[in-house]
Amino acid sequence: MSSGSVCPVCLTPIPAAHETVGDETFLVKTCPDHGEFRTVVWRGEPSFSSWARDKVPSGPKTPFTSVDKGCPLDCGLCEAHRQHTCTALIEVTWRCDLGCPVCFASSGAKASPDPCPDDIGRLFDRVERASGFCNIQLSGGEPTVREDLPDLIRMGKDKGFPFIQLNTNGLRLAREKGYAVRLAEAGLDSVFLQFDGTDDSVYRTLRGRPLFADKLAALDALAEAGVGVILVPTVVPGVNDHELGNILRLAVDRSPVVRGVHFQPVSYFGRYPSPPGDGERITLPEIMRGLEAQTSGLLRASDFSPPGCEHAYCSFHANYVVTETGGLTRLSAGSKCGCAPRPASEGADAAKTFVKRQWAGPGRELPMDFGQPAEAGPTDELDAFIRRAATHTLAVSAMAFQDCWTLDLDRLKGCCIHEVSPDGRLIPFCAYNLTSMDGETLYRGKCDGIAVP
């Protein structure tokens, strides 16, 4: 299966191909100047070939850049991009109150000054022009270090964006009484909460300090404020890949405030002079099977489906109802095979609607068309199930972000999660955060200044 990628040393676009050996699939590519690179991207069942899905492309509403040098060098979004925006990330600060070894944004003490509210307002306007009123995630850095964060949330709502989510480590939510309520009153719909495990040894390794008590306190505060929470673990082999089941059980116990769990297999950004070994990577099917094994079948790997929005190899998802006894009943996912290619726009619209409906706080959900659950009983049982599902639905998903060794340009062209750069371009998340082995970036830190609308 042919594709394209970049050289991990110089980031030059080069041909690439997927090669399957046994039950493992590798991305293989050769740079004429720096040699061959071979990286595992898929292990085991479901098989790599069975997971593939075709989509009819749906380009951005208003492309800001034209095709010139070729993918991934024309991001903005360019006219050749195959999926319009589902979620736009606006980084409101590059400061952070943690110093995590694992960080997309390379945040820290030497961070640039925060963008002013007027500049952020112009970024909101650029998103609307490029993609309409899509879902917004306020990110960073750590957004809660800004004292005017409630004002920024209110600004987004006043401009017409219906769903605003906060990406946070949760420290201020945990430690400042009433802060979560202030954010909710400003219009915050949901929190993407960094949540790597249920043991402080995991946080010491990944975040540099014990944080589990803070994570639980943040969940308590958000429950009081009525803000929905998505737990977001970064999964690192040998560090917290044994914690998949524990995280899921905690999510079940904390339903309905916890609306979902979104696992993120570790990707390698920043300076890595030697390629990470294949043993340092965990793939999507390994997480699917790990969840089944670690929950003693509370859910099954076969429950999961490819995404309707982004490229099939980027993610998986399944939706469940948390029963009164702490079990999980899967909501019908439809057929996984034998269907015609779906328009990418249909997947994006469905994803945006689902996020607004499912990830909002309990009591603020939109009406839901559940269809038939996996095992529907008599009418009275089905009625009870539907009532329960209206408040206790749990989304379980994962997204595999790409680094310089795993970047697949076919996947990148189908990306629906776009960073809003400081100059107002919309850039696919994995392109914006891409770095070479020496830490050189393509876009981050090189997009200063607000472009003229």
Side-chain angles (χ1 to χ4, degrees), residues 148-158 164 179-189 364:
D148 62 352
L149 182 59
D151 296 331
L152 302 183
I153 294 168
R154 196 172 291 111
M155 176 195 296
K157 288 289 182 148
D158 289 346
I164 295 185
Y179 184 63
V181 172
R182 286 173 53 204
L183 298 183
E185 290 174 345
L188 183 66
D189 295 290
R364 306 194 325 181

Side-chain angles (χ1 to χ4, degrees), residues 24-311:
E24 293 186 320
T25 298
F26 300 83
L27 185 68
V28 183
K29 53 194 178 181
T30 301
C31 174
D33 296 321
H34 301 108
E36 182 180 280
F37 300 89
R38 182 183 184 88
T39 306
V40 68
V41 294
W42 200 268
R43 287 192 182 103
E45 294 295 328
S47 69
F48 185 77
S49 60
S50 71
W51 200 253
R53 295 293 179 274
D54 291 327
K55 292 188 180 73
V56 178
S58 171
K61 173 187 167 187
T62 306
F64 289 151
T65 54
S66 58
V67 177
D68 180 18
K69 300 177 182 177
C71 189
L73 305 179
D74 299 322
C75 293
L77 295 166
C78 82
E79 298 165 335
H81 197 72
R82 298 174 186 165
Q83 180 60 290
H84 60 268
T85 309
C86 173
T87 299
L89 277 70
I90 297 178
E91 295 186 355
V92 300
T93 184
W94 298 280
R95 295 179 291 143
C96 188
D97 50 1
L98 278 179
C100 305
V102 178
C103 180
F104 284 124
S106 301
S107 303
K110 297 181 180 179
S112 301
D114 294 346
C116 70
D118 286 346
D119 283 348
I120 292 174
R122 285 191 282 270
L123 295 183
F124 275 119
D125 294 340
R126 292 284 286 181
V127 172
E128 191 281 326
R129 183 181 171 199
S131 303
F133 292 110
C134 61
N135 299 332
I136 296 290
Q137 186 179 99
L138 300 181
S139 189
E142 172 50 50
T144 62
V145 302
R146 284 192 71 131
E147 292 302 322
D148 62 352
L149 182 59
D151 296 331
L152 302 183
I153 294 168
R154 196 172 291 111
M155 176 195 296
K157 288 289 182 148
D158 289 346
K159 285 180 176 290
F161 290 91
F163 181 87
I164 295 185
Q165 183 178 69
L166 173 66
N167 187 3
T168 179
N169 60 34
L171 295 188
R172 187 168 181 179
L173 290 163
R175 297 174 182 181
E176 184 175 321
K177 185 173 178 59
Y179 184 63
V181 172
R182 286 173 53 204
L183 298 183
E185 290 174 345
L188 183 66
D189 295 290
S190 174
V191 163
F192 230 44
L193 180 65
Q194 177 197 88
F195 200 98
D196 298 315
T198 62
D199 187 287
D200 271 329
S201 64
V202 170
Y203 292 101
R204 288 189 183 96
T205 299
L206 295 183
R207 309 300 170 188
R209 66 176 88 165
L211 294 173
F212 185 51
D214 288 301
K215 303 298 181 180
L216 296 182
L219 287 176
D220 290 340
L222 291 164
E224 179 184 356
V227 176
V229 183
I230 309 302
L231 305 182
V232 186
T234 298
V235 184
V236 182
V239 177
N240 63 342
D241 52 338
H242 64 287
E243 281 273 272
L244 305 179
N246 291 336
I247 295 169
L248 187 73
R249 289 190 186 91
L250 185 144
V252 169
D253 291 344
R254 291 276 181 154
S255 175
V257 171
V258 173
R259 313 297 295 166
V261 186
H262 189 61
F263 296 96
Q264 295 181 346
V266 64
S267 296
Y268 292 92
F269 300 95
R271 182 176 173 81
Y272 283 89
S274 297
D278 287 343
E280 298 174 76
R281 295 187 181 274
I282 186 167
T283 65
L284 292 179
E286 291 173 283
I287 293 180
M288 297 183 217
R289 299 194 306 272
L291 282 166
E292 178 173 345
Q294 293 178 31
T295 61
S296 301
L298 184 65
L299 49 69
R300 296 171 296 181
S302 59
D303 292 347
F304 296 109
S305 298
C309 185
E310 62 270 16
H311 192 282

